[in-house]
Amino acid sequence: MATKFKPLQFFDLLLIIPVVLLVTIGCFFIYSSGVNSDGISVSREYIKQMSFGVAGVIIMLLVALLDYRAFQRHAWKLFLGLAGLLVYTRLFGRKVNGAVSWIGIGGFGIQPSEFGKIIFILYLADFLERSGKMGDYERFIKALCILAVPCGLILLQPDLGSASVYIPVFLAMCYVAGVPVRFIMLCLCTGMLTIVVTMFPTWATAIAQKNLALTTILVNMKLRLIVIAAMTLATILSFTGYRIFRNKYYFWACYVFGIITASLVLSIGAGKVLKDYQIKRLIVFLDPQTDPLGSGWNIIQSKIAIGSGNLWGQGYLNGTQSHLRFLPQQSTDFIFSILAEEWGFAGGLAVFILYLAILLRILMILRVTTNTYGYFIATGVLFMLFFHFIVNVGMVMGIMPITGIPLVFLSYGGSSLWTAMICVGLVMSINYRRLDFTQR
């Protein structure tokens, strides 16, 4: 017999309170980001964000009222719709900050890649639950294909920041689904090496300022193809040796050569998709002074803003870096820089605690969730929020590359905020229905 419907039990205050507090703080500092050195507000973004916030809370609660298990039957349809929408965005979308990633009419627009994170989590969770009896190789390859669809289409926009969020979500969900760690590490190492190979020529010339032999190989396409052919042959021979002799030496040789081969091939595509300025933004954090007025400007100004906040900050609306317009994208990517400048270390720590409260609450829900589909969804949401937080904060502090990933709940933008709100609503729905005796 089903439990009696009790609407108040849907609303998890341990999630709602920190989320609402972060959104409120975000609105205050989006307002601050629009105030100039004369103390005059020159932006109406804070008004829009307040509207987004109110609507986001309503959406979050409505999603919490829905049975998350109902999405499972339609997950594949949503995924096909996402693929079609991303194709449409690439062909007919609006170009913003160098990427064709927005669609809309007039002043209203949405970023499909943001909402796509939800659909990706729902569909991958469905696949991982249904594929439990598949062989490890087949299961991993099919899951990898699911990842490749949105990531590939988003990279074509090109929007590296949004695409990068899908990868840790994919790896975390595969891990909890029981995919062998060696497959997960294969994907992780290939991705990291692809990034390194893609960035290496620019790093060698812009930062190291050395003409290295590896740079010549990567720049000269004929030499690169020769190396790829050699690595491919080594991979095939190692695989053949493993199949014949069943020796782990051949397996790990095939593993390593396969990673190198795939990275060299994928880096060719990455080099064609990513623009030069995007690659420079990825590596300039190593030494911002190599291009202080160009790619390094954002990091330098952000670190100045954070450092000037000291312990208690300069006071709300008293920041200098933002009001003098030294911080680019200050209401989106660098919103934490403004907060740290005006509220100092204490304010930054308060924000850290609020995010930690959200992440720990989702982790607690994960530990008591009995439905496999819900467990996979909550895992995806947890790592999506964690990745957004850790990368954005690391980015503005200058310890991670600038990838254009917003700080969820704080940064300006309806698509990002509503995506995070829907995800929190899904987690609340999962938490409530663990008490439902009719749970499948």
Side-chain angles (χ1 to χ4, degrees):
M1 182 177 179
T3 56
K4 185 178 180 181
F5 181 75
K6 297 178 180 180
L8 291 180
Q9 291 186 9
F10 279 92
F11 310 136
D12 190 335
L13 293 181
L14 293 178
L15 273 176
I16 293 175
I17 290 174
V19 165
V20 172
L21 285 175
L22 285 172
V23 173
T24 303
I25 292 171
C27 290
F28 275 105
F29 282 96
I30 289 169
Y31 172 79
S32 179
S33 72
V35 175
N36 62 19
S37 57
D38 296 322
I40 301 172
S41 177
V42 294
S43 171
R44 314 268 307 170
E45 287 182 342
Y46 73 97
I47 296 178
K48 292 183 180 180
Q49 189 71 3
M50 290 170 64
S51 302
F52 294 149
V54 173
V57 171
I58 295 172
I59 292 170
M60 177 179 67
L61 298 180
L62 288 176
V63 171
L65 289 169
L66 298 175
D67 189 338
Y68 70 95
R69 296 166 293 186
F71 292 107
Q72 189 168 10
R73 295 191 297 271
H74 307 288
W76 67 274
K77 300 175 186 175
L78 294 172
F79 189 74
L80 287 178
L82 170 63
L85 191 59
L86 289 175
V87 171
Y88 176 86
T89 303
R90 180 61 186 87
L91 296 176
F92 306 106
R94 183 188 307 166
K95 191 171 186 178
V96 178
N97 295 327
V100 185
S101 56
W102 291 80
I103 57 174
I105 301 174
F108 178 79
I110 63 168
Q111 193 172 3
S113 59
E114 287 292 334
F115 295 106
K117 297 168 188 173
I118 305 167
I119 297 173
F120 172 72
I121 291 173
L122 293 174
Y123 184 60
L124 183 60
D126 173 51
F127 170 78
L128 291 173
E129 187 192 35
R130 289 186 292 102
S131 62
K133 295 182 179 180
M134 283 185 184
D136 289 338
Y137 286 100
E138 181 184 3
R139 192 183 190 204
F140 179 70
I141 292 299
K142 288 185 176 180
L144 202 58
C145 291
I146 293 173
L147 170 68
V149 172
C151 271
L153 292 173
I154 293 170
L155 283 173
L156 288 175
Q157 295 179 354
D159 186 353
L160 178 63
S162 296
S164 66
V165 178
Y166 287 73
I167 298 173
V169 171
F170 166 80
L171 296 176
M173 292 177 68
C174 285
Y175 176 76
V176 300
V179 173
V181 175
R182 65 181 183 274
F183 293 161
I184 296 173
M185 291 305 298
L186 176 69
C187 184
L188 181 62
C189 292
T190 301
M192 293 178 66
L193 187 57
T194 298
I195 294 172
V196 171
V197 172
T198 303
M199 298 190 305
F200 188 84
T202 304
W203 171 83
T205 55
I207 295 181
Q209 297 181 348
K210 295 180 180 178
N211 187 18
L212 304 174
L214 183 56
T215 307
T216 305
I217 294 174
L218 295 177
V219 171
N220 189 311
M221 186 56 66
K222 290 184 179 180
L223 291 176
R224 180 186 285 219
L225 291 176
I226 292 172
V227 174
I228 290 174
M231 291 295 104
T232 302
L233 179 60
T235 304
I236 294 172
L237 291 175
S238 301
F239 178 76
T240 304
Y242 174 71
R243 296 290 293 181
I244 295 174
F245 302 106
R246 294 294 175 179
N247 190 308
K248 287 187 177 180
Y249 169 81
Y250 291 105
F251 172 83
W252 290 112
C254 176
Y255 194 87
V256 173
F257 286 130
I259 289 174
I260 296 173
T261 304
S263 300
L264 288 171
V265 173
L266 292 173
S267 63
I268 297 175
K272 293 183 179 297
V273 170
L274 298 178
K275 309 298 183 185
D276 288 340
Y277 77 90
Q278 290 176 311
I279 296 176
K280 286 182 179 179
R281 283 172 58 183
L282 283 174
I283 62 174
V284 77
F285 79 101
L286 296 171
D287 185 5
Q289 296 299 331
T290 57
D291 189 13
L293 299 179
S295 300
W297 174 266
N298 296 3
I299 295 178
I300 292 171
Q301 299 305 320
S302 177
K303 291 168 72 174
I304 291 173
I306 293 173
S308 65
N310 294 314
L311 180 59
W312 299 109
Q314 298 183 23
Y316 182 62
L317 298 180
N318 291 325
T320 55
Q321 294 297 108
S322 61
H323 296 167
L324 292 173
R325 324 309 289 178
F326 286 134
L327 282 172
Q329 308 296 328
Q330 53 191 29
S331 65
T332 52
D333 298 349
F334 291 89
I335 191 72
F336 186 79
S337 304
I338 302 175
L339 185 147
E341 182 183 31
E342 299 186 358
W343 277 7
F345 175 80
L349 181 61
V351 168
F352 274 43
I353 292 172
L354 291 174
Y355 277 106
L356 181 62
I358 294 171
L359 297 175
L360 288 178
R361 180 54 183 161
I362 297 175
L363 190 60
M364 290 171 59
I365 292 171
L366 266 174
R367 295 183 63 182
V368 297
T369 299
T370 56
N371 182 282
T372 305
Y373 183 58
Y375 184 80
F376 292 157
I377 292 174
T379 299
V381 170
L382 175 66
F383 277 84
M384 186 198 83
L385 297 179
F386 174 74
F387 187 76
H388 267 275
F389 171 74
I390 203 72
V391 171
N392 181 274
V393 173
M395 177 183 77
V396 300
M397 289 182 176
I399 58 176
M400 295 191 76
I402 296 179
T403 54
I405 293 178
L407 185 56
V408 288
F409 304 122
L410 280 180
S411 293
Y412 171 73
S415 296
S416 173
L417 179 60
W418 288 353
T419 296
M421 292 295 217
I422 291 171
C423 286
V424 173
L426 283 171
V427 172
M428 287 198 291
S429 177
I430 293 167
N431 184 46
Y432 177 81
R433 285 171 180 80
R434 67 184 173 85
L435 304 175
D436 189 347
F437 298 144
T438 64
Q439 186 167 354
R440 293 187 292 272

Short mmCIF file of all heavy atoms in Angstrom, two decimals, residues 21-49:
data_model
loop_
_atom_site.label_atom_id
_atom_site.label_comp_id
_atom_site.label_asym_id
_atom_site.label_seq_id
_atom_site.Cartn_x
_atom_site.Cartn_y
_atom_site.Cartn_z
N LEU A 21 19.63 30.74 0.07
CA LEU A 21 20.61 31.71 0.57
C LEU A 21 21.65 32.03 -0.51
O LEU A 21 22.01 33.20 -0.70
CB LEU A 21 21.31 31.15 1.82
CG LEU A 21 20.49 31.18 3.11
CD1 LEU A 21 21.25 30.49 4.23
CD2 LEU A 21 20.14 32.61 3.51
N LEU A 22 22.13 31.02 -1.22
CA LEU A 22 23.12 31.26 -2.27
C LEU A 22 22.53 32.09 -3.41
O LEU A 22 23.20 33.00 -3.93
CB LEU A 22 23.65 29.92 -2.81
CG LEU A 22 24.64 29.19 -1.92
CD1 LEU A 22 24.93 27.80 -2.47
CD2 LEU A 22 25.94 29.98 -1.79
N VAL A 23 21.30 31.79 -3.81
CA VAL A 23 20.66 32.56 -4.87
C VAL A 23 20.48 34.01 -4.44
O VAL A 23 20.69 34.95 -5.23
CB VAL A 23 19.30 31.93 -5.26
CG1 VAL A 23 18.56 32.83 -6.25
CG2 VAL A 23 19.50 30.55 -5.87
N THR A 24 20.09 34.22 -3.19
CA THR A 24 19.91 35.58 -2.67
C THR A 24 21.24 36.34 -2.66
O THR A 24 21.32 37.50 -3.08
CB THR A 24 19.33 35.52 -1.24
OG1 THR A 24 18.11 34.79 -1.26
CG2 THR A 24 19.09 36.93 -0.71
N ILE A 25 22.29 35.67 -2.16
CA ILE A 25 23.62 36.28 -2.16
C ILE A 25 24.05 36.61 -3.59
O ILE A 25 24.62 37.68 -3.86
CB ILE A 25 24.64 35.35 -1.50
CG1 ILE A 25 24.35 35.22 0.00
CG2 ILE A 25 26.08 35.85 -1.71
CD1 ILE A 25 25.16 34.14 0.69
N GLY A 26 23.75 35.71 -4.51
CA GLY A 26 24.08 35.95 -5.91
C GLY A 26 23.43 37.20 -6.44
O GLY A 26 24.06 38.00 -7.16
N CYS A 27 22.16 37.42 -6.11
CA CYS A 27 21.45 38.61 -6.58
C CYS A 27 22.10 39.89 -6.04
O CYS A 27 22.24 40.89 -6.76
CB CYS A 27 19.98 38.56 -6.15
SG CYS A 27 18.99 37.31 -7.01
N PHE A 28 22.53 39.85 -4.77
CA PHE A 28 23.20 41.02 -4.18
C PHE A 28 24.49 41.35 -4.94
O PHE A 28 24.77 42.53 -5.22
CB PHE A 28 23.51 40.76 -2.71
CG PHE A 28 22.36 41.07 -1.78
CD1 PHE A 28 21.62 40.06 -1.21
CD2 PHE A 28 22.02 42.39 -1.50
CE1 PHE A 28 20.56 40.34 -0.36
CE2 PHE A 28 20.96 42.69 -0.65
CZ PHE A 28 20.22 41.65 -0.08
N PHE A 29 25.25 40.35 -5.26
CA PHE A 29 26.55 40.63 -5.88
C PHE A 29 26.43 40.83 -7.40
O PHE A 29 27.32 41.44 -8.00
CB PHE A 29 27.55 39.55 -5.52
CG PHE A 29 28.08 39.72 -4.14
CD1 PHE A 29 27.52 39.02 -3.08
CD2 PHE A 29 29.07 40.65 -3.88
CE1 PHE A 29 27.97 39.22 -1.79
CE2 PHE A 29 29.52 40.86 -2.59
CZ PHE A 29 28.97 40.15 -1.53
N ILE A 30 25.37 40.35 -8.00
CA ILE A 30 25.11 40.70 -9.40
C ILE A 30 24.74 42.19 -9.47
O ILE A 30 25.14 42.89 -10.40
CB ILE A 30 24.00 39.81 -9.98
CG1 ILE A 30 24.54 38.38 -10.17
CG2 ILE A 30 23.50 40.36 -11.32
CD1 ILE A 30 23.48 37.36 -10.50
N TYR A 31 24.00 42.65 -8.45
CA TYR A 31 23.72 44.09 -8.38
C TYR A 31 25.03 44.87 -8.21
O TYR A 31 25.26 45.87 -8.90
CB TYR A 31 22.79 44.40 -7.22
CG TYR A 31 22.61 45.88 -6.97
CD1 TYR A 31 21.76 46.64 -7.76
CD2 TYR A 31 23.32 46.53 -5.95
CE1 TYR A 31 21.60 48.00 -7.55
CE2 TYR A 31 23.18 47.89 -5.72
CZ TYR A 31 22.31 48.63 -6.53
OH TYR A 31 22.18 49.98 -6.33
N SER A 32 25.89 44.39 -7.31
CA SER A 32 27.17 45.07 -7.07
C SER A 32 28.02 45.10 -8.34
O SER A 32 28.70 46.11 -8.60
CB SER A 32 27.93 44.36 -5.95
OG SER A 32 29.18 44.97 -5.72
N SER A 33 27.96 44.04 -9.12
CA SER A 33 28.76 43.99 -10.35
C SER A 33 28.32 45.03 -11.37
O SER A 33 29.08 45.39 -12.27
CB SER A 33 28.67 42.58 -10.98
OG SER A 33 27.39 42.36 -11.56
N GLY A 34 27.09 45.50 -11.25
CA GLY A 34 26.57 46.49 -12.19
C GLY A 34 26.71 47.92 -11.73
O GLY A 34 26.24 48.85 -12.40
N VAL A 35 27.35 48.14 -10.57
CA VAL A 35 27.55 49.50 -10.05
C VAL A 35 28.92 50.01 -10.50
O VAL A 35 29.92 49.32 -10.36
CB VAL A 35 27.46 49.50 -8.51
CG1 VAL A 35 27.79 50.88 -7.95
CG2 VAL A 35 26.08 49.06 -8.05
N ASN A 36 28.94 51.21 -11.04
CA ASN A 36 30.21 51.76 -11.53
C ASN A 36 30.95 52.52 -10.43
O ASN A 36 30.51 52.57 -9.28
CB ASN A 36 29.99 52.64 -12.77
CG ASN A 36 29.12 53.86 -12.46
OD1 ASN A 36 28.96 54.27 -11.32
ND2 ASN A 36 28.55 54.45 -13.50
N SER A 37 32.06 53.14 -10.79
CA SER A 37 32.90 53.83 -9.80
C SER A 37 32.23 55.06 -9.19
O SER A 37 32.65 55.54 -8.14
CB SER A 37 34.22 54.25 -10.45
OG SER A 37 33.98 55.07 -11.59
N ASP A 38 31.16 55.55 -9.84
CA ASP A 38 30.42 56.68 -9.29
C ASP A 38 29.27 56.25 -8.40
O ASP A 38 28.49 57.09 -7.92
CB ASP A 38 29.87 57.55 -10.44
CG ASP A 38 30.98 58.17 -11.27
OD1 ASP A 38 32.00 58.56 -10.67
OD2 ASP A 38 30.83 58.25 -12.51
N GLY A 39 29.14 54.95 -8.18
CA GLY A 39 28.07 54.42 -7.33
C GLY A 39 26.73 54.32 -8.03
O GLY A 39 25.69 54.19 -7.37
N ILE A 40 26.74 54.39 -9.36
CA ILE A 40 25.49 54.34 -10.14
C ILE A 40 25.34 52.95 -10.74
O ILE A 40 26.28 52.40 -11.33
CB ILE A 40 25.50 55.40 -11.25
CG1 ILE A 40 25.66 56.80 -10.64
CG2 ILE A 40 24.24 55.31 -12.09
CD1 ILE A 40 25.86 57.89 -11.67
N SER A 41 24.15 52.39 -10.61
CA SER A 41 23.88 51.08 -11.20
C SER A 41 23.66 51.23 -12.70
O SER A 41 22.78 51.99 -13.13
CB SER A 41 22.64 50.45 -10.55
OG SER A 41 22.34 49.21 -11.16
N VAL A 42 24.48 50.55 -13.47
CA VAL A 42 24.40 50.67 -14.93
C VAL A 42 23.92 49.37 -15.57
O VAL A 42 23.98 49.22 -16.79
CB VAL A 42 25.78 51.05 -15.51
CG1 VAL A 42 26.19 52.44 -15.05
CG2 VAL A 42 26.85 50.03 -15.13
N SER A 43 23.44 48.45 -14.77
CA SER A 43 22.97 47.16 -15.29
C SER A 43 21.68 46.76 -14.61
O SER A 43 21.47 47.03 -13.41
CB SER A 43 24.04 46.08 -15.07
OG SER A 43 23.53 44.80 -15.38
N ARG A 44 20.81 46.11 -15.36
CA ARG A 44 19.54 45.60 -14.82
C ARG A 44 19.58 44.08 -14.64
O ARG A 44 18.55 43.46 -14.45
CB ARG A 44 18.40 45.97 -15.77
CG ARG A 44 18.40 47.39 -16.27
CD ARG A 44 17.62 48.35 -15.46
NE ARG A 44 16.26 48.01 -15.18
CZ ARG A 44 15.52 48.68 -14.30
NH1 ARG A 44 16.06 49.67 -13.62
NH2 ARG A 44 14.27 48.34 -14.07
N GLU A 45 20.77 43.52 -14.70
CA GLU A 45 20.89 42.06 -14.60
C GLU A 45 20.36 41.53 -13.28
O GLU A 45 19.80 40.44 -13.23
CB GLU A 45 22.36 41.64 -14.78
CG GLU A 45 22.86 41.74 -16.21
CD GLU A 45 24.30 41.25 -16.34
OE1 GLU A 45 25.00 41.17 -15.31
OE2 GLU A 45 24.71 40.97 -17.48
N TYR A 46 20.52 42.29 -12.21
CA TYR A 46 20.09 41.81 -10.91
C TYR A 46 18.57 41.63 -10.86
O TYR A 46 18.06 40.73 -10.17
CB TYR A 46 20.57 42.74 -9.80
CG TYR A 46 19.84 44.07 -9.72
CD1 TYR A 46 18.79 44.28 -8.83
CD2 TYR A 46 20.21 45.14 -10.54
CE1 TYR A 46 18.14 45.49 -8.76
CE2 TYR A 46 19.56 46.35 -10.49
CZ TYR A 46 18.52 46.53 -9.59
OH TYR A 46 17.86 47.73 -9.53
N ILE A 47 17.85 42.49 -11.59
CA ILE A 47 16.39 42.36 -11.62
C ILE A 47 16.00 41.07 -12.35
O ILE A 47 15.12 40.32 -11.90
CB ILE A 47 15.76 43.58 -12.32
CG1 ILE A 47 16.03 44.85 -11.51
CG2 ILE A 47 14.24 43.37 -12.49
CD1 ILE A 47 15.50 46.11 -12.14
N LYS A 48 16.67 40.80 -13.47
CA LYS A 48 16.42 39.56 -14.18
C LYS A 48 16.76 38.35 -13.32
O LYS A 48 16.03 37.36 -13.29
CB LYS A 48 17.24 39.52 -15.48
CG LYS A 48 16.81 40.52 -16.53
CD LYS A 48 17.65 40.34 -17.80
CE LYS A 48 17.24 41.32 -18.87
NZ LYS A 48 18.05 41.16 -20.11
N GLN A 49 17.89 38.45 -12.59
CA GLN A 49 18.31 37.32 -11.77
C GLN A 49 17.32 37.07 -10.63
O GLN A 49 17.09 35.91 -10.26
CB GLN A 49 19.71 37.56 -11.21
CG GLN A 49 20.32 36.35 -10.52
CD GLN A 49 20.70 35.24 -11.49
OE1 GLN A 49 20.55 35.39 -12.70
NE2 GLN A 49 21.18 34.13 -10.96
#
